[in-house]
Amino acid sequence: MFQAQAAHDGDAVLLDEIARRAEVPPDETRALLHDLTRVHRLVTELAGVDTPDMGPRWEAKPRL
């Protein structure tokens, strides 16, 4: 995820790109991102940021 986000100058990334770079199926990637977002709170999900809507984007939370 960090590589994909870095390739977009730090901007949030779509699920398909994260899955492709991680070489993990999109359904499994979505489940992993859900855990990173809701359980571990390491990732932020941004929904409704595209026009037209391309689905949510995810970004790693900045480390202190």
Side-chain angles (χ1 to χ4, degrees):
M1 175 161 184
F2 293 110
Q3 291 174 344
Q5 196 171 336
H8 290 268
D9 295 324
D11 290 338
V13 185
L14 292 168
L15 171 74
D16 290 340
E17 183 167 354
I18 296 169
R20 181 178 50 78
R21 287 178 178 266
E23 298 179 1
V24 176
D27 289 342
E28 188 176 337
T29 301
R30 184 182 308 278
L32 292 168
L33 287 168
H34 175 76
D35 284 348
L36 289 171
T37 302
R38 305 282 189 238
V39 177
H40 303 287
R41 301 181 194 270
L42 297 172
V43 173
T44 300
E45 180 180 351
L46 306 173
V49 295
D50 292 318
T51 303
D53 188 12
M54 298 177 67
R57 293 181 184 263
W58 284 270
E59 65 182 2
K61 289 190 175 182
R63 294 182 179 180
L64 299 175

